[in-house]
Amino acid sequence: MIRLLFLVGLLVVMLAPPATAHDVKAGADLRIAQTIAGAELTLVIKATTRVPGPLRVEVIGFPSAPTLDLRLRSVTDGRVVTGTVSPGRPAQLRVEETGPHELTVGAGGESAVIPFRVLVDRGSGWEFLIYGGLFVAGLLLVGGLLTGAFNRRGRSAFVVTAVAAAGLAVAALIVILDPWLPAGSPAGAEPRPTDSVLGRPYVQRVVTTVPAGPAVGEEFVTRVELFDGSTGRPVDDLTIHHEAMAHLVVTSEDGRYFRHVHPLRTAPGRLEVRLRADRPGRYLTYVELERTDSGGQLLTGSFTVTGSPTVSPDPAIQDAAAGTVTVTPAAPQAGRAATVEVATTGTPRPWLGMAGHLIVRGADGEFLGHVHEMGTPGNRLRFTFSFPAPGRYLAWAQYATDRGITTVPFTVEVPR
Ligand SMILES: [Cu+2]
């Protein structure tokens, strides 16, 4: 009997609680990277515990952020509250109910509309068994004591004690099993079919610039329009993926220009970011995103910049200083894991949920890879990366410190 109990206990411990990736949990902050007014920042919508109540919004700048104008609208009843937020000065916006909301963020003539849901945990729903069990046990314990005191015959006292013990056992069992029991959906959650395991259709994209064919040195808007591959309707169900609605990598064909930015949602299915190019030619764009209940997707595109190169090249795209990057083995084999170590200047702090990012592009632009650091021994970032085929690769390691985001560009040759 003891062996059986031990076996059951072991099984319970071994069965991990069911994990659902990218589920917005009540009680968890929502972190969204945005590139706005020339700044790279992360907006933090703090978890709410009660509604009506205040919703706290913070901003972290890499390295700085402008004051952002906030406008929070409840989709359910149209109620609007406004405020401002800057680093170290959080906003408190009053929310009246759970459910869908839109947060409009504005600065420097740009604005983004971020759809999200205000969720409040309702508990697992099994509490009634815990409290019920304890209540019954307590009641019967008192009853048992009274019965024992006034009744000489022990049998009814035994029954009462047994029921009390059963109540205690149920309460204790629920407490122990709680992480494995299905949690009730939080108040304000989107009603979803539970059997939607197939995912949603792939996204088709159109990348354009405003104006079309921008000139070197002139600010322009890169616009990404997302359409559902099946219906052709705008895709507006992006989930937060690595702390952003979408990650946009823009590189010149020669790789001397590199930007990793987080475009603003200016309309349903439309993402925009302002850029300035420093050389003419073809630019390649890569969008990393994830639809609700679907996997991650990588979408590619391109645009052309006209004019002649600017006099001073971009300081962010100089080659890495000797000794900054170590690739092991020095001549990596195609399809085999290689280790890339990058010496950092300053202590990295989390950006997009990680200490470091490595983006690798094939010389012809046909391939783009993105991995995260695998442990940071001291002021070094360590990545594991498998180059898919022989050839020349352009790579950029990125990390954030108090001084902002550092990009370390380097090239890797994978021999035949
Ligand atoms: Cu990103």
Side-chain angles (χ1 to χ4, degrees):
M1 183 64 185
I2 287 170
R3 265 194 218 159
L4 187 74
L5 276 175
F6 178 74
L7 206 67
V8 168
L10 199 69
L11 267 175
V12 164
V13 172
M14 278 164 63
L15 290 169
T20 319
H22 301 286
D23 240 6
V24 179
K25 286 195 204 90
D29 300 345
L30 196 60
R31 301 170 69 90
I32 304 156
Q34 295 277 259
T35 306
I36 186 167
E40 188 59 43
L41 54 87
T42 298
L43 206 64
V44 185
I45 302 174
K46 303 294 281 184
T48 40
T49 50
R50 69 194 152 85
V51 167
L55 182 75
R56 192 179 157 102
V57 180
E58 298 173 357
V59 66
I60 304 164
F62 294 93
S64 59
T67 298
L68 303 171
D69 292 315
L70 303 177
R71 182 177 179 275
L72 180 70
R73 191 178 80 89
S74 163
V75 175
T76 315
D77 65 6
R79 209 188 308 248
V80 169
V81 284
T82 58
T84 60
V85 64
S86 56
R89 287 171 173 265
Q92 304 271 9
L93 303 172
R94 188 170 169 81
V95 284
E96 298 295 335
E97 59 194 332
T98 56
H101 283 71
E102 279 180 352
L103 183 65
T104 305
V105 182
E110 290 183 83
S111 72
V113 183
I114 300 166
F116 72 104
R117 283 179 172 265
V118 174
L119 303 177
V120 174
D121 227 332
R122 270 197 287 236
S124 65
W126 296 88
E127 283 87 352
F128 79 97
L129 274 179
I130 301 173
Y131 296 118
L134 288 175
F135 180 72
V136 168
L139 208 66
L140 293 186
L141 211 62
V142 174
L145 284 173
L146 291 177
T147 315
F150 297 109
N151 195 338
R152 290 276 139 207
R153 282 165 42 209
R155 190 156 165 214
S156 49
F158 174 76
V159 169
V160 165
T161 312
V163 174
L168 269 176
V170 167
L173 199 68
I174 298 298
V175 168
I176 292 165
L177 292 181
D178 189 57
W180 288 272
L181 294 173
S185 63
E190 186 183 6
R192 267 195 216 170
T194 49
D195 56 350
S196 63
V197 290
L198 294 176
R200 300 183 183 183
Y202 269 34
V203 173
Q204 295 168 353
R205 87 288 159 265
V206 176
V207 178
T208 51
T209 59
V210 182
V216 165
E218 145 190 315
E219 192 178 68
F220 62 95
V221 174
T222 303
R223 177 179 290 168
V224 183
E225 284 170 292
L226 307 170
F227 303 98
D228 181 281
S230 174
T231 64
R233 293 171 55 86
V235 167
D236 201 29
D237 59 357
L238 302 183
T239 64
I240 303 299
H241 167 82
H242 296 319
E243 295 192 355
M245 281 187 282
H247 302 260
L248 173 68
V249 170
V250 179
T251 63
S252 58
E253 218 162 21
D254 64 2
R256 289 263 140 196
Y257 177 96
F258 171 88
R259 291 286 186 280
H260 167 191
V261 288
H262 303 98
L264 310 175
R265 176 188 175 272
T266 53
R270 177 180 288 182
L271 303 169
E272 293 184 337
V273 66
R274 291 190 191 181
L275 297 171
R276 206 183 289 270
D278 65 348
R279 62 198 58 229
R282 193 160 165 257
Y283 282 69
L284 310 171
T285 62
Y286 305 85
V287 187
E288 234 183 70
L289 52 77
E290 185 176 330
R291 294 187 78 172
T292 302
D293 293 333
S294 307
Q297 296 176 41
L298 182 68
L299 312 166
T300 59
S302 68
F303 60 86
T304 304
V305 172
T306 60
S308 47
T310 45
V311 184
S312 56
D314 193 308
I317 47 156
Q318 300 299 311
D319 279 327
T324 308
V325 180
T326 317
V327 181
T328 315
Q333 274 183 279
R336 295 271 187 87
T339 302
V340 176
E341 276 202 359
V342 178
T344 63
T345 314
T347 308
R349 60 178 174 133
W351 177 50
L352 311 173
M354 323 275 168
H357 302 258
L358 176 66
I359 294 169
V360 180
R361 203 199 86 182
D364 61 2
E366 290 293 308
F367 165 81
L368 190 91
H370 179 185
V371 294
H372 299 118
E373 56 86 36
M374 305 290 290
T376 309
N379 279 2
R380 293 185 83 79
L381 296 171
R382 185 180 288 159
F383 304 93
T384 303
F385 193 81
S386 299
F387 296 90
R392 191 166 151 266
Y393 291 86
L394 313 173
W396 299 267
Q398 290 196 295
Y399 60 92
T401 64
D402 292 341
R403 285 192 305 281
I405 291 153
T406 303
T407 302
V408 183
F410 58 99
T411 56
V412 177
E413 200 70 48
V414 178
R416 298 213 153 264

